[in-house]
Amino acid sequence: MSATQRRVRAAVLHGVGEPLGVEEIELAETGPHQVRVRLAASGVCHSDLSVQQGRLPFMFPTVLGHEGAGVVEEVGSAVTRVSPGDHVVLGWNPPCRRCFYCLAGQPMLCDIGLAEALGSPYGTAAGVPLIRGLGVGAFAEATLVPEGSAVPVDPKVPLEQVALVGCALATGVGAVANIARVTLGSSVVVVGCGGVGLCVVQGARLAGASQVIAVDRVAAKLALAESMGATASVDSSAGDALDQVRALTEGRGADFSFEVVGRPETIRLAYSAARRGGTTVVVGAGSDADVVPFNAMELFADAKALFGCVYGSTDPDRDFPMLVDLVARGDLDASSLVTRRIGLDDVNEAFVAMEAGEVVRSLIVFGGH
Ligand code: APR
Ligand code: ZN
């Protein structure tokens, strides 16, 4: 394939705290097990901002963006799972299907696939090798990924609607379905109702929870949560959130609680907001510098299950097509998660807006599809 098609515009991050610079990069030639994808749309997720701010350690220079969908442009000589023209959702953790974790049925913990996604040939900016950001590099007109990162989906569903499947929907709905296994008629608390948290709310509603309590400190997020199935809202900026949750759950706390922020105080809140014998799932990606306090008595006596949850415990090949189907049928609302449609050049403003709580998701929309 010509070098011209491999030269694309991309938002490059050169170091922690720097703004992203939209530059021309050159993607490497497509290797035997790689796929080049022309992006249609990419969501701006909090994890991208966390890398830019240094809360999530990463390597530079890099092209961020890990929540995208597009069309396969070229496949490597050994690739059989997709062909040019196929619609794909990009995943950031392609399972190798051979390692201990994959064989144990936990492909989301596959470190061989992630190492390949981070380390295999990708591209250069002004001759300098780039790291494929968070294994995907979706803030670009096109990206080059390991074949397992490109998951084919139903081409009848608009790509803009399925872009968020690769992170927000997979992580949020997956946490409900694969880890907590929320049951019919149960009560659920969701601490943090951003892009991922609102997907937890939607997943809990789909799972048949009778009570879904949304907790956030931004009124607009709570209003959106209610429109997506939350039955009550708790504004954590107005009074003690735990008291408010307990008042809504007969003093006990909820059967299931989800933390979808990634901060010690919200993890602690989610744990406290689960009832004795209940389940808490930590969905948010926190920092290894943060410590969460638990006392030894409560861990034993309250008999709660506390789960970590990587990527919604998702198997992309199994779950992405199912999530796309739920979007197509209107059971999951991906469109309402998008507050703004923007261009690639607006990505820095999208970070500012996300931090200010002004948006749920900004969606970078690329022309040409
Ligand atoms: N109390 C309540 N809500 C809070 C608090 C707090 N102390 N701090 C932040 N929030 C809310 C924000 O108002 C926002 O609505 O948490 C939400 C976080 O949402 P986003 O910034 O949209 O982040 P999102 O993309 O949903 O990711 C959430 O999941 O995948 C991980 O790395 C990601 O850790 C991040 C988390
Ligand atoms: Zn994400």
Side-chain angles (χ1 to χ4, degrees), residues 45-47 66-67 167-168 361:
C45 170
H46 210 111
S47 303
H66 59 280
E67 185 181 66
C167 183
R361 277 291 194 265

Side-chain angles (χ1 to χ4, degrees), residues 169-231:
L169 270 73
T171 308
V173 179
V176 172
N178 299 326
I179 290 284
R181 299 179 191 269
V182 167
T183 45
L184 269 180
S186 58
S187 54
V188 173
V189 175
V190 184
V191 180
C193 294
V196 182
L198 288 168
C199 292
V200 174
V201 168
Q202 294 197 44
R205 187 205 70 224
L206 271 180
S210 61
Q211 198 180 18
V212 181
I213 302 168
V215 182
D216 206 289
R217 56 184 184 189
V218 176
K221 304 285 178 75
L222 293 172
L224 209 45
E226 291 198 11
S227 76
M228 292 181 178
T231 55

Side-chain angles (χ1 to χ4, degrees), residues 251-274:
R252 277 196 305 270
D255 299 321
F256 299 94
S257 67
F258 295 85
E259 196 277 351
V260 206
V261 185
R263 300 269 179 187
E265 61 276 18
T266 41
I267 293 171
R268 182 61 243 193
L269 170 61
Y271 184 79
S272 300

Side-chain angles (χ1 to χ4, degrees), residues 228-290:
M228 292 181 178
T231 55
S233 287
V234 167
D235 184 345
S236 61
S237 68
D240 187 85
L242 183 57
D243 286 348
Q244 296 181 66
V245 171
R246 288 204 172 128
L248 290 160
T249 52
E250 296 169 1
R252 277 196 305 270
D255 299 321
F256 299 94
S257 67
F258 295 85
E259 196 277 351
V260 206
V261 185
R263 300 269 179 187
E265 61 276 18
T266 41
I267 293 171
R268 182 61 243 193
L269 170 61
Y271 184 79
S272 300
R275 68 164 168 85
R276 292 187 71 203
T279 297
T280 299
V281 183
V282 178
V283 183
S287 153
D288 65 0
D290 287 336

